Amino acid sequence: MQMIKRFFSHSLSSEAGDQTAQNESPAKPLGTCVGDSKSCPEGGRLHAKIEGRYVSVLRIDGKLFCIDSICFHAGGPLGIGDIEDVNGHKCLVCPWHFYKIDIQTGDKYYQGLEFKDGKMLGGEWKSNGVRQRVHPVVEESGKIYVTLSTQPDAEAAATAAGLLGCGGPTAACSPSSRVESDGYAFDAQCGDRVLNSPPSANRAKVHSVGADGRKPSGQVLRGQYKS
Ligand code: FES
């Protein structure tokens, strides 16, 4: 699905024939429509290509999030990764090398190690910083809109969204900053793996790992999770 038309609140009003609204309040940036609300129910996902950039929208715990679909590390299909809760942070787990990326902030997490009682043990989860770009996403009149955080009005869009879903653009995901995922963001071969993924690739269930601040439990297996 590729939709590049960008919407403002007035464009919705005028389409509905409501000219009055245009005289009462300034236009509110909505962004690019990526689909109907009902096409992204709780636990659902939408993948879209906006101005050549591949992005994935997820609805988790009633909130919408939008993040670059292609993994910053080596171009993996991050957008179809499993979702894990790492100490309260909802993360996409890249199917290729299992990096955990925070869907709200774009942080990449890793688990530190501790040497204790002569043994090397899993320690606290820490962030390597923002590596994946996130984007403001808003829902209005039964449709979902994304504003790329590279666009000049991204901050206004985030405000208009009431910081719904992703809190972006964060300082690390502003139009002037470079985020590592920018490198693969437009790669058609990588992006099409996500965009053309079958519904079965988009798992809804959230798996909890590291909830104790330590290593994932023995129940967590690669590609085969149990709760
Ligand atoms: S491509 Fe290596 S973790 Fe995503």
Side-chain angles (χ1 to χ4, degrees), residues 70-78 93-101 108 132 184:
I70 307 170
C71 183
F72 78 90
H73 176 224
L78 180 70
V93 182
C94 182
W96 281 9
H97 308 106
F98 310 107
Y99 281 13
K100 299 179 197 304
I101 310 292
K108 184 251 174 187
Q132 197 77 12
Y184 280 105

Side-chain angles (χ1 to χ4, degrees), residues 15-16 19-20 74 77 85 102 144 151 153-154 164 171 179 182 185 199 201 213:
E15 280 178 7
Q19 296 297 324
T20 319
D85 184 314
D102 191 317
I144 295 171
Q151 290 169 337
D153 58 356
L164 175 68
V179 180
D182 291 344

